[in-house]
Amino acid sequence: MTAPEAAARRVLVIGIGNTYRGDDAAGLAVAEWIRAAAPPDVTVVRHEGEPISLLETWDQAREVYLVDAVSADGEPGNVYRFDVTAEPLAARLRPRGTHALGVADTIELARALGRLPRRLVSYGIEGGCFATGASLSPPVREAVAVASERLLAELTPGAPPVTAC
Amino acid sequence: MKDHNSDWGGSIHVGALARVEGEGGLEVVVRDGKVTDARLDIYEPPRFFEALLRGRRHTEVPDITSRICGICPIAYQMSACQAIEDACGTVIPAPILDLRRLIYCGEWIESHALHIYLLHAPDFLGYQSGLHMAQDRPDLLQRGLQLKKAGNRLMEVVGGRAVHPVNVRVGGFYRAPDRRDLDGLRAGLDQARQLALETVVWVAGFPFPDFDHDYQFVSLRHPTDYPITAGRVVSNRGLDIDVREYDQHFTEVQVPHSTALHSLLHDDGTYLVGPMARYSLNSGQLPATVMAAAGAAGLGPTCTNLFRSIIVRALETLYACEEAIRLIDAYEPPDPAWVEVTPRDGIGYGATEAPRGMLYHRYQINADGTVAAATIIPPTSQNQRVIESDMRAFVEERLDLPQDRLTWECEQAVRSYDPCISCATHFLNLTVVRS
């Protein structure tokens, strides 16, 4: 890929989470994995999920991959993939809002404001333990590897298309 | 009472009242057409911050307490620094105090823009949420986000990042920003000032329910400035005390229905803190430009209509933009960026104006710098009583409203206080019980 092609691709991986809240750090762990192995034109960002700066982070990007921990009444370690370019995240993955908008609300806000990238894919890793000070639980640690491999495959030019998992 | 009320079956239950921070509920009891009780039930578990501070180093307090709130971390850092420095007898040089005021302006802009555009304006315009408003009126949300961005940028440049800034320390800042860094904010703040002015005009045109009240307002008052980072504690009923005298005049009481302590004035009970109180007690300190905008928005020197607090927030946003510009234009980097705060046995007091009201901290420090005791009284904790008494009066005047309308208006009313239940301990369920 030439430099202009790489620049035009403007691919961004955003890992969202909090290192100090157990499985909430899953998105950050995937971001580190991708940073070590991704094609050079892929930019990797760690993010706390604050909505306005999240919008600004992806404003200049064409393809964006969000990776975040979710709590969706499933098994810890489940990996979900949604192409949210054309439709919202599933309701069960949308947290109740407080002062701060959640990632799902931020995606919908961006859609309403015409600020969605050309492609937006969201990976969710089902967490089990979000305790303060905890590290990743064993099933989520395994899921980080699984999600990272799938995302890496998706980021690699010429790779077969990834379908929902 | 109109006939349709007899079909209510005794109670109104509203799911989560979103767009407030935290978890809680509001129950209003009606007997024989009269409201007999209104309780703000806060059932979010207490977070024990005061206990976990014990034994920690005095230098750790600002960063630990800032984690109480992701919306107003600077308020926690500033009240904490002030109290620790008071305990240690440290005098902070004026340039550091100015830089503290500057970063606090960023938090006011960020927090007020969030509340106005995403949390409260949708109530007035009939939208379920800011998201629904964005689908119809993306231009409005873009304006709100642009305004908020100016606050975020200010926090990032001075504080290192927009949420839970890392550059604040006891005694000052780890690193003073360069002049050039602050000059880079100037254009964004000029634009934000214009957006804030447009916001004042916009919100002033909202339909406001008729709900004026003779509040006991409490806020800080500073001899020369609109209160943000310092001042005496004053009220519109004669209170005028140094922050060190706070405990002699205020008391915290436990109630069964709330995990957050209620704060009361010893001699005159219930009081209100926040933008309405600040404005009503200090509008004389606002620049002519802001007061001209207030006049054009139909506000005099005080505001006693709870719902019009959204106009006050817009005016304070305008002020924060102007104040930030003034501080940046006069900026000389403090050198050194922080002063040593040597621990000693003692008690220190601090109070600053968080976006949603006065935030009080008291710390007892040991000679080795460890914290022996901590007391933190956030604004929402102080407003719980007035929310309850307001809701009694508010519902009583609206008993003939259909259930869903009453629910809507109660939610709108509660959001007027911008309650941060996370700070006070923490979605609100509204139940009206009739018998």
Side-chain angles (χ1 to χ4, degrees):
Chain A
M1 186 180 296
T2 64
E5 281 170 344
R9 196 168 165 221
R10 295 201 299 264
V11 181
L12 191 60
V13 173
I14 306 176
I16 299 170
N18 183 335
T19 327
Y20 303 106
R21 293 298 297 269
D23 292 339
D24 194 51
L28 301 175
V30 171
E32 289 313 312
W33 188 297
I34 301 297
R35 195 194 298 277
D41 61 310
V42 173
T43 304
V44 179
V45 172
R46 291 165 61 98
H47 202 277
E48 286 193 336
E50 197 277 321
I52 311 305
S53 68
L54 196 53
L55 285 182
E56 286 164 7
T57 302
W58 76 48
D59 260 348
Q60 301 302 315
R62 288 195 175 191
E63 272 179 53
V64 175
Y65 299 85
L66 294 176
V67 192
D68 196 5
V70 299
S71 180
D73 301 326
E75 287 294 313
N78 282 357
V79 177
Y80 309 97
R81 179 193 177 278
F82 300 95
D83 188 330
V84 292
T85 314
E87 58 181 341
L89 269 177
R92 68 195 169 95
L93 295 177
R94 301 181 66 163
R96 300 167 80 190
T98 61
H99 258 142
L101 294 180
V103 171
D105 285 333
T106 304
I107 293 169
E108 293 319 302
L109 186 60
R111 196 188 311 280
L113 299 178
R115 290 172 65 175
L116 275 186
R118 192 170 292 180
R119 183 156 192 243
L120 182 58
V121 173
S122 173
Y123 277 81
I125 297 174
E126 182 92 35
C129 171
F130 297 96
T132 308
S135 52
L136 290 179
S137 63
V140 169
R141 202 172 296 132
E142 287 177 26
V144 164
V146 171
S148 300
E149 292 292 354
R150 287 185 188 167
L151 179 51
L152 267 178
E154 189 165 6
L155 291 168
T156 305
V162 175
T163 51
C165 50
Chain B
M1 191 182 297
K2 290 180 184 172
D3 287 339
H4 57 248
N5 283 334
S6 59
D7 298 331
W8 282 14
S11 71
I12 297 175
H13 178 76
V14 183
L17 175 59
R19 289 181 278 140
V20 301
E21 176 68 24
E23 296 187 17
L26 179 69
E27 182 164 308
V28 179
V29 180
V30 182
R31 292 190 203 287
D32 302 326
K34 294 276 183 196
V35 176
T36 57
D37 199 12
R39 293 199 318 259
L40 186 65
D41 299 328
I42 295 182
Y43 45 78
E44 175 144 335
R47 297 158 76 198
F48 304 116
F49 265 90
E50 290 158 329
L52 71 82
L53 283 164
R54 281 184 225 137
R56 304 304 297 241
R57 295 278 309 166
H58 69 304
T59 49
E60 295 178 293
V61 174
D63 285 325
I64 292 173
T65 57
S66 81
R67 291 284 165 167
I68 291 173
C69 184
I71 308 291
C72 51
I74 287 296
Y76 282 89
Q77 291 186 331
M78 293 299 150
S79 288
C81 285
Q82 197 185 95
I84 299 283
E85 290 152 6
D86 181 51
C88 300
T90 311
V91 176
I92 303 298
I96 292 176
L97 295 178
D98 284 346
L99 195 55
R100 286 182 170 176
R101 190 171 175 84
L102 178 62
I103 192 172
Y104 220 134
C105 286
E107 181 160 286
W108 274 30
I109 296 167
E110 183 186 21
S111 176
H112 280 356
L114 172 75
H115 188 262
I116 293 169
Y117 279 89
L118 279 160
L119 307 178
H120 209 197
D123 281 335
F124 291 95
L125 302 177
Y127 293 105
Q128 282 184 359
S129 71
L131 201 53
H132 290 86
M133 192 168 93
Q135 285 159 353
D136 269 5
R137 293 294 307 272
D139 55 319
L140 294 176
L141 261 291
Q142 291 281 25
R143 185 171 69 193
L145 295 183
Q146 194 67 27
L147 189 50
K148 186 175 186 299
K149 182 180 171 183
N152 279 24
R153 285 292 298 144
L154 189 44
M155 302 264 285
E156 285 166 7
V157 169
V158 181
R161 60 184 183 190
V163 181
H164 301 306
V166 291
N167 192 27
V168 172
R169 55 165 295 158
V170 169
F173 291 83
Y174 286 101
R175 174 188 170 277
D178 297 333
R179 248 242 68 94
R180 201 177 51 241
D181 296 334
L182 294 191
D183 286 343
L185 294 169
R186 191 65 166 69
L189 283 164
D190 281 338
Q191 184 200 27
R193 186 193 172 282
Q194 182 58 34
L195 297 176
L197 203 50
E198 291 171 18
T199 305
V200 174
V201 174
W202 176 55
V203 299
F206 288 172
F208 295 106
D210 187 14
F211 190 69
D212 276 84
H213 196 82
D214 180 21
Y215 290 103
Q216 175 163 221
F217 292 128
V218 171
S219 79
L220 297 179
R221 178 181 285 154
H222 188 271
T224 56
D225 302 319
Y226 194 73
I228 301 179
T229 48
R232 290 173 66 80
V233 181
V234 303
S235 81
N236 54 340
R237 296 191 187 158
L239 182 75
D240 185 352
I241 58 168
D242 189 274
V243 177
R244 293 179 176 186
E245 300 170 281
Y246 185 98
D247 297 333
Q248 297 162 36
H249 296 267
F250 294 82
T251 188
E252 283 193 297
V253 296
Q254 202 164 26
V255 295
H257 57 274
S258 175
T259 51
L261 297 172
H262 282 203
S263 180
L264 297 167
L265 265 163
H266 281 161
D267 49 358
D268 208 3
T270 306
Y271 62 97
L272 177 76
V273 298
M276 270 171 66
R278 268 195 305 262
Y279 177 84
S280 298
L281 290 164
N282 300 284
S283 60
Q285 302 279 26
L286 286 169
T289 45
V290 176
M291 286 314 290
L299 275 192
T302 63
C303 175
T304 54
N305 181 324
L306 178 65
F307 293 90
R308 288 182 189 271
S309 62
I310 195 170
I311 306 178
V312 177
R313 275 192 191 85
L315 289 166
E316 286 195 338
T317 310
L318 173 63
Y319 172 67
C321 293
E322 291 194 358
E323 184 67 353
I325 291 168
R326 183 187 73 78
L327 288 162
I328 287 174
D329 288 350
Y331 180 67
E332 292 294 336
D335 186 18
W338 54 278
V339 294
E340 194 66 56
V341 179
T342 308
R344 66 180 189 190
D345 260 326
I347 298 179
Y349 306 83
T352 65
E353 286 285 347
R356 43 197 63 70
M358 186 174 67
L359 169 63
Y360 171 74
H361 286 216
R362 174 167 56 83
Y363 298 100
Q364 185 178 347
I365 309 291
N366 298 315
D368 65 357
T370 52
V371 176
T375 300
I376 298 169
I377 306 183
T380 298
S381 181
Q382 300 176 70
N383 278 344
Q384 286 178 102
R385 279 291 168 100
V386 76
I387 293 175
E388 291 182 345
S389 65
D390 270 1
M391 287 304 101
R392 270 196 288 276
F394 187 78
V395 172
E396 193 146 300
E397 291 172 11
R398 288 162 176 76
L399 282 172
D400 59 344
L401 286 179
Q403 176 179 336
D404 53 350
R405 185 68 211 172
L406 180 60
T407 297
W408 177 278
E409 291 197 9
C410 282
E411 289 182 346
Q412 182 183 13
V414 171
R415 274 192 286 272
S416 298
Y417 308 94
D418 190 7
C420 190
I421 301 169
S422 298
C423 290
T425 97
H426 308 279
F427 300 120
L428 227 58
N429 292 312
L430 172 64
T431 309
V432 179
V433 179
R434 293 168 171 267
S435 61

